[in-house]
Amino acid sequence: MAEFRLYNSMTQQKEVFKPLVPKQVSMYVCGVTAYALSHIGHARAAVNFDVLYRYLEQRGYKVTYVRNFTDVDDKIIRQANELGEDPISLSNRFCQEYTIDMGDLQCRTPTHEPRVSDHMEQIIDMITQIINNDYAYVVDGDVFFAVEKFPNYGQLSGQKLEHIRAGERVSVDSRKRNPADFALWKSAKPGEPSWDSPWGKGRPGWHIECSAMSAHYLTFKFDIHGGGIDLIFPHHENEIAQSCAACQESRVGYWLHNGHVTNNNEKMSKSVGNFFTIRQITERYHPLSLRHFLLSAHYRTPLNYSVSQLESASDAVYYIYNTLQECEDALSPFQDGAQKEGAEQNGRPVKITQEAEGLISKLQNEFETKMSDDLNTASILTGAFQDALRYININMKPLKKKNPKQQQLYKSLVETKKAVEKVLDTLGLLSSVTYSEVVQQLKAKALIRAGLSEDDVLQTIAERTLARKNKDFAKSDQIREEMEEKGIQIMDVGNESIWRPKALKE
């Protein structure tokens, strides 16, 4: 197995992955602030770290994966006040919605999903330790971290304290010793949720929660800390300062950050209003299509959203699942016989064809090479993967013809299909429902995008069939072209016409 390398944001280079404990991995990923439906930028982080989770397990590691929910925050309080709802109740509702979205995207549930409101004891204990170690100070019930006390501040982001000071807005809290100091604890304000603490009633600042919860579940030393690239500063920089201030032995082995999803090359965000929620996309596209799209670029690079890319991803997923369904159908009549004969021919075990053996080996090598090189998912579903799908498509018909090599071909298709499924499983693209169901779901989404019903399409096919029967080929071609413009492709198979989704161009 190839050495596994990951790009470490701290050292800004790829490093061979070596966990603190052999065959065990501890990983913390910053989750969402739950006050609204999550957008596809959130989906990208979740999907990419889910792939890392799956791949680590495939490599034989036992992974403890922690991803938090922020359910105490200024944004949550503002949204709750606007809606006249309890902030914790509102956040709980959107945590549940996020969980539904993650299930749709086939992201596996992390080992632990802690919420801030359930970990006040750990947060208060860590703040107390930071104060006792003389890295923080109390002013009127607020607690601030003193960045000047921490000489290594800026080590992850490259930010310098003098630059941070120069770049501060005019409205700096005059009670701070340094404009870059940040809140560990905020004193209670009317109408806000609050908890008792040694400094009076209040609530934690944003940054302290992740330091406290990662230490609680993984200790102060753990292997991987992940999140979006926008979290490098100030969030992750502040986490490092807090954690080291609380415990000098604090250390994260590898800092991983995924790139933004952009819209017209501008970062997709709620504040700008140029975002699409996961739900908005999955109403029109299969969740597997969205997942495929999110894996189509290397996780560290920006990924620009476009309808044409989503259409291409949907088309690719349809081709994969249609191929697997047809292969399953082709193999089905031979399965009982193959099992009874013990996959032997003339007393000898049946070997797969040299072509299939070469394709499987190439697919496995290509997959391992790309995944072990900092999770390079961008081109895994091209090259050898497509060659394997083509091999399946080409050899399904010959399988049906009786000949001495029929059993060898059967076994070759079985093994090639397994190799394809293993790749899909690691990427989280292998559905828990049947291939046939996924094909039907993809067709249903295509009908939604086209604004048509199944009956509409069948009626159009009937009209085209009649036109062909009357030798009115101009009308027949026109009907086909009009349907293709709506994302529906009519195909003639033998004496009948069928339809499938067709990718639209922007």
Side-chain angles (χ1 to χ4, degrees):
M1 192 175 273
E3 278 189 325
F4 183 27
R5 294 178 178 272
L6 286 170
Y7 183 87
N8 190 345
S9 299
M10 179 65 80
T11 60
Q12 296 184 27
Q13 63 185 8
K14 291 180 190 176
E15 299 175 0
V16 175
F17 178 67
K18 292 179 181 176
L20 291 164
V21 180
K23 289 299 175 186
Q24 293 184 32
V25 177
S26 46
M27 177 167 75
Y28 186 95
V29 175
C30 291
V32 295
T33 300
Y35 67 98
L37 290 174
S38 294
H39 57 65
I40 58 177
H42 300 133
R44 188 181 193 197
V47 165
N48 279 290
F49 285 105
D50 179 65
V51 169
L52 174 59
Y53 184 22
R54 289 166 178 268
Y55 184 58
L56 286 166
E57 290 201 331
Q58 187 196 300
R59 289 183 70 97
Y61 292 107
K62 185 179 186 297
V63 184
T64 302
Y65 176 19
V66 183
R67 184 182 66 211
N68 74 300
F69 279 114
T70 296
D71 64 347
V72 179
D73 183 81
D74 292 341
K75 293 174 183 175
I76 296 169
I77 293 165
R78 279 197 298 271
Q79 181 77 338
N81 288 341
E82 285 177 19
L83 297 173
E85 191 173 347
D86 172 70
I88 299 295
S89 172
L90 175 133
S91 188
N92 181 56
R93 181 157 55 86
F94 284 111
C95 287
Q96 291 170 354
E97 296 291 356
Y98 178 82
T99 300
I100 291 169
D101 286 338
M102 292 303 101
D104 286 345
L105 288 171
Q106 299 207 150
C107 289
R108 292 169 55 193
T109 306
T111 317
H112 304 287
E113 290 186 283
R115 300 187 187 191
V116 177
S117 60
D118 294 329
H119 293 79
M120 287 300 159
E121 182 184 345
Q122 290 83 5
I123 290 169
I124 290 168
D125 285 349
M126 181 171 274
I127 295 172
T128 302
Q129 191 61 47
I130 293 170
I131 293 171
N132 291 343
N133 290 342
D134 199 29
Y135 284 95
Y137 54 96
V138 184
V139 184
D140 304 328
D142 291 329
V143 182
F144 295 103
F145 186 92
V147 292
E148 287 186 329
K149 295 269 188 176
F150 190 69
N152 290 329
Y153 191 78
Q155 60 185 301
L156 178 67
S157 62
Q159 296 272 4
K160 302 293 182 187
L161 269 180
E162 55 269 25
H163 296 158
I164 297 168
R165 279 197 290 268
E168 282 288 337
R169 291 184 184 135
V170 178
S171 57
V172 174
D173 190 332
S174 59
R175 299 174 305 157
K176 290 183 180 181
R177 296 175 185 172
N178 185 303
D181 291 351
F182 56 90
L184 300 176
W185 188 261
K186 299 179 178 183
S187 59
K189 294 181 178 64
E192 292 186 356
S194 61
W195 289 262
D196 290 326
S197 82
W199 321 286
K201 276 190 167 295
R203 59 188 172 88
W206 175 37
H207 312 296
I208 192 66
E209 64 184 68
C210 288
S211 288
M213 290 190 287
S214 62
H216 178 68
Y217 288 95
L218 302 174
T219 77
F220 278 97
K221 286 184 178 179
F222 58 96
D223 297 308
I224 297 170
H225 195 317
I229 195 169
D230 55 316
L231 297 180
I232 291 178
F233 187 85
H235 187 52
H236 287 165
E237 196 69 74
N238 291 351
E239 273 193 64
I240 292 169
Q242 294 163 160
S243 296
C244 291
C247 174
Q248 287 186 345
E249 303 301 312
S250 176
R251 181 181 175 274
V252 171
Y254 305 82
W255 286 89
L256 270 59
H257 295 94
N258 64 276
H260 297 309
V261 177
T262 58
N263 189 353
N264 291 324
N265 298 311
E266 183 178 17
K267 181 200 167 191
M268 200 175 277
S269 69
K270 289 175 183 172
S271 57
V272 178
N274 65 341
F275 68 94
F276 294 96
T277 65
I278 298 168
R279 212 67 61 86
Q280 283 175 312
I281 301 297
T282 55
E283 281 171 2
R284 295 170 59 80
Y285 292 90
H286 197 287
L288 285 174
S289 302
L290 175 53
R291 187 174 178 112
H292 189 290
F293 162 68
L294 293 170
L295 294 174
S296 65
H298 190 279
Y299 77 90
R300 286 192 286 113
T301 63
L303 175 62
N304 196 45
Y305 167 84
S306 71
V307 171
S308 63
Q309 280 192 285
L310 262 177
E311 287 282 339
S312 295
S314 183
D315 210 40
V317 172
Y318 184 87
Y319 173 63
I320 292 167
Y321 272 84
N322 195 53
T323 298
L324 291 173
Q325 181 206 338
E326 289 182 351
C327 183
E328 206 166 62
D329 292 344
L331 294 172
S332 182
F334 301 91
Q335 283 175 333
D336 289 341
Q339 288 165 358
K340 283 175 188 174
E341 292 171 31
E344 289 190 1
Q345 195 167 21
N346 300 324
R348 295 179 181 177
V350 175
K351 293 183 178 179
I352 64 174
T353 64
Q354 281 190 333
E355 184 183 4
E357 191 175 349
L359 281 169
I360 292 168
S361 177
K362 187 182 175 188
L363 175 56
Q364 290 170 340
N365 290 337
E366 220 173 83
F367 177 74
E368 190 58 40
T369 300
K370 289 175 180 176
M371 287 296 284
S372 63
D373 182 20
D374 194 32
L375 300 176
N376 188 6
T377 62
S379 57
I380 281 174
L381 297 177
T382 60
F385 184 83
Q386 292 298 319
D387 291 342
L389 290 177
R390 273 192 291 272
Y391 175 84
I392 291 171
N393 274 310
I394 290 167
N395 287 284
M396 283 189 284
K397 281 185 182 177
L399 178 66
K400 297 172 184 177
K401 296 175 182 176
K402 278 215 170 239
N403 63 75
K405 293 189 176 180
Q406 191 180 50
Q407 203 169 356
Q408 183 183 38
L409 191 54
Y410 167 84
K411 189 169 183 182
S412 299
L413 284 169
V414 167
E415 295 304 318
T416 306
K417 179 170 167 282
K418 280 182 187 174
V420 166
E421 289 167 335
K422 186 175 180 181
V423 170
L424 293 173
D425 188 34
T426 307
L427 296 178
L429 289 168
L430 191 65
S431 179
S432 56
V433 302
T434 66
Y435 301 137
S436 178
E437 285 177 272
V438 175
V439 167
Q440 291 308 312
Q441 290 166 359
L442 285 158
K443 291 177 81 171
K445 296 292 184 185
L447 289 173
I448 290 170
R449 297 194 296 276
L452 299 169
S453 67
E454 178 91 30
D455 286 343
D456 292 333
V457 176
L458 295 178
Q459 185 178 336
T460 302
I461 288 173
E463 288 172 13
R464 180 174 171 274
T465 302
L466 181 61
R468 292 177 75 209
K469 187 178 178 181
N470 294 334
K471 300 192 185 303
D472 189 348
F473 298 115
K475 184 177 180 181
S476 168
D477 291 344
Q478 183 187 354
I479 290 171
R480 181 190 288 214
E481 286 165 12
E482 286 174 356
M483 292 301 282
E484 285 187 358
E485 286 173 6
K486 294 179 179 180
I488 305 294
Q489 182 176 22
I490 299 173
M491 302 168 68
D492 300 317
V493 181
N495 294 324
E496 65 171 335
S497 296
I498 60 171
W499 73 274
R500 55 150 287 171
K502 179 178 172 60
L504 288 169
K505 294 180 181 178
E506 267 185 313

